[in-house]
Amino acid sequence: MRGPDDDPSAAEPGAPAAGAAPAAGDAPAAGDAPAAGGAAAAGAASAAGGAPATGAAPAGAPPAGAPPAGAARPAASRLRRLGRWIKEYYCTIDVRTLGLFRLVLGFLLAADCVRHWAEASWAYSNDGVLTNHYHLFHPSSGYNFSIYHAFSSTAEVHVAFALSLFCFLCFFIGWRTRLFSILSFLLVTSRDNRLLMIENGGYVVVNLITCWAMFMPTGRRFSVDALIRSYRERQERTAAGLADRSRPAWAERPYVSGIVLLAILNLGTIYYFNVVNKSGLVWRRGETVHYVLHLDRMVTGIAVLLREHIPFWAMRGLTWAVLVVEALLVTWILSPYGRRVTRALAMGGMWALHGSFGVMMRLGPFSWFMIGWSFLLPTPEHWDALERWYRRRAAPRVVVYDGSSPLAFALMRFLVRLDLLELLRFEEARPAAPEAGEGGAREAGAREAGEGGAPRPPLLVVREAGDAPEGRMFEGAAAVREIVRALPGGRFAWPLVWALTLGAPGALLGLAARRRDGIARFFGLTRAPRPRPRPAAAAGVPSPLSEKVARGRAIAREALIAYLGICAVSQALNENKSVPAILKHPQPKFMQATIVYPRLLQGWGMFAPNPIAEDGSLSVDAITVDGRHVDPFTGLPPDLDLTDARGLGLGQIQQDYFNRIRLDRNKPFRRPGLQDYLLKYHVRTGRPEDEIVAFDVYWVKDQCPPPGERTPYKNEAIPIMSYRRPGYRPRPGLPPLPPALKEASAGN
């Protein structure tokens, strides 16, 4: 991951000015990178169904005295075995894992969208620090594209974020999953490109993980798409149909593709370079955690408390522990053997490592999306173990439903699709038949009872499963509770169901029971689903043309994945400082565009080679028309001394913008961008007396305390921009404006 002080626009290939290609330089052990490209190609070929041409053998026995043919067979056999081995251990993934991964990724994308939406006015609109028209004519990088450039005013940007959130939520629930996965990738990369000065390694992780998700069938399980497809393919009409729990092949068959290999290798590569790039003396001395906890612009209140109470020897141990865990994660993630243990250790290690980062530092999306990436690691063995564990704690139940009610039968069809552990059984209950000899009047009365609400079976009741028919019965809210607890994860989801029903699930069930016929008519429900003609492909008999089209799509998909893998390896070699100079290489223009447009960068080295020892933030001393001094970013008097700070309380977006705008390379974005934003302070507050007539922007910095101490030192305020309104004359009784300050450099 890029260090917090690195300008994202300065580390990308093929971009003019801020987008210069990384210079050939130092580097790590590059053994992983070439292997990643080769393995991705091998996985792609294997998933596409191709077989090595060298494996073909001529019919009949080879003529005597022909050693080349005999020698070719073992080589071809070894290649086939290698391909099968890579396919089995690195290119295959359980579709349940993909479904869970989509749920986690979709939730994170939606949450991150809300986080950025809160900063939309000043960060993404023309009322903020960078207008879209200025950015279009002065892009931050050589390859820059953003849908957000089409939205100008604050109101328009709010619409853009609302549409983005809608797309992320559709991806989360798995409706039109393929479409919304592509749109999600386009939206997150567009948001990143709109304001590159706030980009850090976490944004790159979001771009990468969303890109790889586009190529995965994440909607096959736990999704609206899977539910709709199941309804289309299985049209139960009787109680016997509900008892048939056979599952279609698409919901059970593991997914095989080179994208699985690429995603797992990329995850391992992140930790590999995060270890080898941390070669500085501060890391070896164990002082990194001390310095990181004293970066007031980044830390949370929890970190402030920890740094004041944890002794230095404990911080030293934590520093070395970070290196050890990151190194172990590489092995745990990439190990082909014992994956039931190693993958579980990897997930636990990632959750512990990034969970602690996330609660102690304001790093934006990095920690949480790395945890989200870990959800690609569960194997079928983990799912089987989880199922056994849950079965021991869940109780099977029998759902007795009104067999004459279309609404009840529709609810049972829905429950069948949620009951993945098959802990529910279903039985019909029908109205009592009229007694013999009562004639047509009694039959008419029974029909009226069925329509109007006289004696009918309950819409549904639940009883304990077992051989004894007189098991304990549950009705109303208790019935809903027992059903939910029998479903996968229902024991933990029941409080959420209770909250969503406003604490009245029984009342809602009773209302549905009383209005069962009206609700069924409103939704057009019938006792059995209407039969629909199904094409041959839906019946499991694809046509020859559809087979050829599917094969062509698979080949094209795997070829694109292999190309992206090559781009990733090339970028990792060029961008990571520990890679030997001999492996650095120029990239073709089309490869640079592939990498930089969607920001699929591969530079990893959080706080590498040494952590930051200098803290700093932006402070504005603005003079209002009535003579007051105020910082427009805070609304408070300017603070030009950081040595007494106990955390600045800045969000990631604001603190990264402050850290990047102070750099000399970003001077073009101070005027008119930052200057215009500051001068509109009175418009934002709605107070004419807040109109600004002069301001000085400072980069205020200090040095983190040395190891064993707790007080920062060497505070300095560097003026990086100064403004005085031309021709301004102060009101009577106010002093004249001070002369404009000479601007200085606060870093490159």
Side-chain angles (χ1 to χ4, degrees), residues 71 170 192 224 263 269 293 480 536 548 584 728 730:
C170 288
D192 188 359
V224 173
T269 300
L293 291 181
V480 177
K548 290 181 180 179
K584 308 286 185 180
Y728 172 75

Side-chain angles (χ1 to χ4, degrees), residues 436-457:
E438 301 235 353
R442 187 62 176 267
E443 293 180 3
R447 285 196 298 271
E448 290 175 2
E451 289 292 326
R456 290 184 70 173

Side-chain angles (χ1 to χ4, degrees), residues 462 474-483 506:
V462 176
F474 302 92
E475 298 182 3
V480 177
R481 183 193 65 227
E482 294 302 310
I483 291 173

